[in-house]
Amino acid sequence: MMAAVSRSQAVIQFDLDGVILEANQNFLSVVGYEPAEIVGRHHRMFVDPAEAQTPAYAELWRKLNAGEFVADKFVRYGKSGQRVVIGPATIRSWTATDAPTRWSSSPWT
């Protein structure tokens, strides 16, 4: 099923600390980056620097790491500063003990 989602949507995956694990070509096309430019970097690279310092941003990561589903739209920014709207699809991968291992999101432009 994830293969079908990846072919039809722009998808990026993060570890629980917000470090980018991978992104499909659809996502890379939307934000204007190559894989080597984003893999291993933190999610905040897509966020306005002022927003990355807010309690709301910290709360987003707290909720995701607690395994809570977050359905909202978020403004993020691509390589050339273009506005990208993310949301509301969030898909989490879980371990056999129901612990979240990563999360993915799909942008809308």
Side-chain angles (χ1 to χ4, degrees):
M1 180 157 100
M2 284 306 296
V5 170
S6 188
R7 281 192 303 272
S8 63
Q9 295 185 19
V11 178
I12 187 168
Q13 294 187 354
F14 305 90
D15 71 11
L16 296 180
D17 293 323
V19 175
I20 300 163
L21 300 172
E22 62 183 304
N24 70 6
Q25 188 57 50
N26 294 336
F27 182 90
L28 296 168
S29 294
V30 169
V31 295
Y33 284 101
E34 295 296 323
E37 296 175 290
I38 66 170
V39 172
R41 294 187 60 194
H42 195 273
H43 169 269
R44 75 178 64 85
M45 72 180 285
F46 301 116
V47 178
D48 181 289
E51 181 184 347
Q53 302 302 316
T54 65
Y57 185 74
E59 180 66 6
L60 168 67
W61 283 98
R62 187 207 61 76
K63 287 180 177 181
L64 291 169
N65 287 331
E68 296 178 33
F69 180 77
V70 178
D72 204 346
K73 290 185 181 179
F74 303 95
V75 174
R76 302 296 182 241
Y77 298 92
K79 185 175 182 177
S80 64
Q82 77 272 24
R83 182 177 182 268
V84 177
V85 179
I86 306 285
T90 300
I91 303 166
R92 289 181 307 275
S93 298
W94 302 85
T95 66
T97 60
D98 289 335
T101 59
R102 66 173 66 183
W103 70 276
S104 305
S105 62
S106 299
W108 296 343
T109 56

